[in-house]
Amino acid sequence: QVQLQESGPGLVKPSETLSLTCTVSGDSISRDYYYWGWIRQSPGKGLEWMGTVYKSGSPNYSPSLKSRVTISVDTSKNHFSLNLTSVIAADTAVYYCARFCSTNTCYEAFDIWGQGTMVTVSS
Amino acid sequence: SSELTQDPAVSVALGQTVRITCQGDSLRSYYVSWYQQRPGQAPVLVLHGYNKRPSGIPDRFSGSTSGNTGSLTITGAQAEDEADYYCHSRDSSGNRVFGGGTKLTVL
């Protein structure tokens, strides 16, 4: 079955760049009509969409994060990545990667999620 | 603040029916999807489209949309349905957005 797995440092210093990778297994990241996204959840808070990217590399970002976030896809490695620059304590969160389907049977939904990875911003 | 508004908390007696709502003007134009998140776990898609359940989601979960309000209904709530529920769609600019979440307590 399709699985997504986040990986990356669990601790990042303030002002540095947070970098995470999501490895996809059981599916091709180059599949038509499927996008790949990042969602985060601060402790005790709700879900926040950060951005989504297609196989062609055309990303869409949350307006509130657009100046600091980059999401890229590597079809050769079947993974996609998140970079968040100039992090602050408020960026401490569980970061989830997820598959977003936009087919005529899926109707725009995040249908597969990774287990999430906790990232703490602290010196 | 989210452009999709959910009640922060809802409760239901075991075996009874509960409706969780999501309000936003964008729902007049875009699909809504619903996610269940149990404590310490990743969200799980439970409804999408006009009332489609992914494989493995019990049929006691159903959905509907009317005007600017999307609804998730659980008919015959079970103890394992106690969780946070989030709606998702687009905002007025077309960007993806989640509702603030509803904590469901099964009494």
Side-chain angles (χ1 to χ4, degrees), chain A residues 39 41 45-49 52 61 63 96 100 105-111 113-115, chain B residues 30-31 33 35 37 41-43 45 48-50 52 86 88 90 95-100:
Chain A
I39 300 102
Q41 186 171 37
K45 304 295 185 183
L47 302 173
E48 179 185 13
W49 172 73
T52 312
Y61 299 132
Y96 295 100
F100 182 81
T105 57
C106 190
Y107 304 104
E108 302 197 339
F110 289 100
D111 65 339
W113 294 65
Q115 66 185 24
Chain B
Y30 298 111
Y31 293 115
S33 54
Y35 304 83
Q37 186 180 34
Q41 296 186 18
L45 176 67
H48 59 106
Y50 288 118
K52 290 179 66 68
Y86 294 91
H88 165 265
R90 296 181 188 246
N95 297 302
R96 308 250 159 248
V97 66
F98 287 93

Side-chain angles (χ1 to χ4, degrees), chain B:
Chain B
S1 63
S2 172
E3 291 194 27
L4 297 178
T5 302
Q6 298 183 242
D7 291 328
V10 170
S11 62
V12 61
L14 185 67
Q16 295 304 301
T17 297
V18 62
R19 188 176 74 158
I20 298 170
T21 60
C22 174
Q23 284 192 306
D25 286 340
S26 62
L27 298 187
R28 299 181 188 276
S29 305
Y30 298 111
Y31 293 115
V32 63
S33 54
W34 290 93
Y35 304 83
Q36 177 193 69
Q37 186 180 34
R38 296 189 174 111
Q41 296 186 18
V44 172
L45 176 67
V46 294
L47 284 172
H48 59 106
Y50 288 118
N51 188 17
K52 290 179 66 68
R53 284 176 288 105
S55 174
I57 301 302
D59 61 6
R60 63 178 178 272
F61 289 86
S62 63
S64 64
T65 301
S66 178
N68 73 337
T69 301
S71 299
L72 164 69
T73 300
I74 307 174
T75 303
Q78 302 299 303
E80 61 263 32
D81 299 333
E82 187 163 288
D84 294 328
Y85 291 85
Y86 294 91
C87 61
H88 165 265
S89 185
R90 296 181 188 246
D91 64 16
S92 56
S93 299
N95 297 302
R96 308 250 159 248
V97 66
F98 287 93
T102 297
K103 181 178 182 61
L104 175 66
T105 300
V106 180
L107 304 173

Side-chain angles (χ1 to χ4, degrees), chain A residues 68-98:
Chain A
R68 298 195 293 134
V69 68
T70 302
I71 297 175
S72 58
V73 63
D74 188 332
T75 55
S76 67
K77 295 181 179 178
N78 215 42
H79 74 205
F80 60 106
S81 300
L82 169 73
N83 277 355
L84 183 66
T85 62
S86 305
V87 297
I88 60 175
D91 293 313
T92 294
V94 175
Y95 286 77
Y96 295 100
C97 60

Side-chain angles (χ1 to χ4, degrees), chain A residues 17-30:
Chain A
T17 296
L18 181 160
S19 296
L20 297 174
T21 295
C22 182
T23 300
V24 180
S25 58
D27 193 11
S28 170
I29 206 166
S30 297

